[in-house]
Amino acid sequence: VPQPIAPQLAAMLDAVSMPSEPSQSAARVLKTGMRKGRSKLQVAIWLVIGALVIAGGVIVGFKFRAMRLDNKIADSQNIARGLAKADTWKAMVRSRDRIAGIAQASPTADNMAALARIRALIAFEFGEGVPEAKSAIDALGTQRGLDAEIAAAYYALAVNDAKNALDAAGRALKLDATDPAALYVMGQAELLAGDLAAAVKQLQAAVDKEGRPLYRVALSRAYFELSDWKEAQRAIDPAPLKAWYDGLEADTTRELKDSGIQLSSLVDEHPGVVAQRARLAVATGQTAGAKAT
């Protein structure tokens, strides 16, 4: 038979088993902890912010892409200029092709003028691509910059137009009186026009600024026309030619080597220099290939 529970213990058990009423503070906690629904205005603001963040990321991405393209173009321009400094047909053609690629990728006025210049240079020095040079210059329209004027001078020289060559070279010198290419085309224009003293002056200034082989050969020709054999020979001496090739940048030298152009052999075998030495040898009664005295 179960024993009766003491009255005090029974009262405690009844108090524990009865549910208690929630306090007002607990109710407030439950009420304030409930998640409220977002208004339409809040949703719209978040959508606008998200769109701005995405748009900003796209713009930054395009800017980085443009920067990378600009850097690649600058590197390719440096390589093209370096290739041209060998002053041989093969190097010039490779330089032209690189500049054409740049102009195609980024057809800015400057890049199109640079392409016209290298095309006109090849037309004058090697007699190749004269119609293409004219088309490239015509495509520049009314553009008037240093490259455009030098291109016009080269083209005029290529077609033996002394007047237009002098005019274009004069405009180039007004833009930059110290530019070696501007001095060179003016010297060549003076040579074509028959002003030998003026030609020597301009070509000597070009060589002093940039003693590349083509400039030295032109200076030698000008002295040759004056029958100054000693100065004609001095202009194409091996020592300054070697100094010119030795002074080219390492990247340029490597690019030329990869193109099959050996700079070490060009000191004695540059086609223009060899031809001018032969002219001097014949004029002075020496054996072809010997140095004039």
Side-chain angles (χ1 to χ4, degrees), residues 69 72-74 76-77 80 93-108 111-112 114-115 118-119:
L69 178 59
K72 289 179 68 174
I73 288 174
S76 190
Q77 286 172 333
V93 168
R94 289 184 68 88
S95 176
R96 178 202 63 194
D97 292 346
R98 280 189 174 271
I99 294 174
I102 293 170
Q104 184 176 9
S106 178
T108 63
N111 290 339
M112 297 303 291
L115 178 59
I118 188 66
R119 285 192 181 280

Side-chain angles (χ1 to χ4, degrees), residues 237-249:
D237 275 345
L241 289 171
K242 185 177 186 304
W244 167 255
Y245 286 125
D246 288 346
L248 296 181
E249 296 178 359

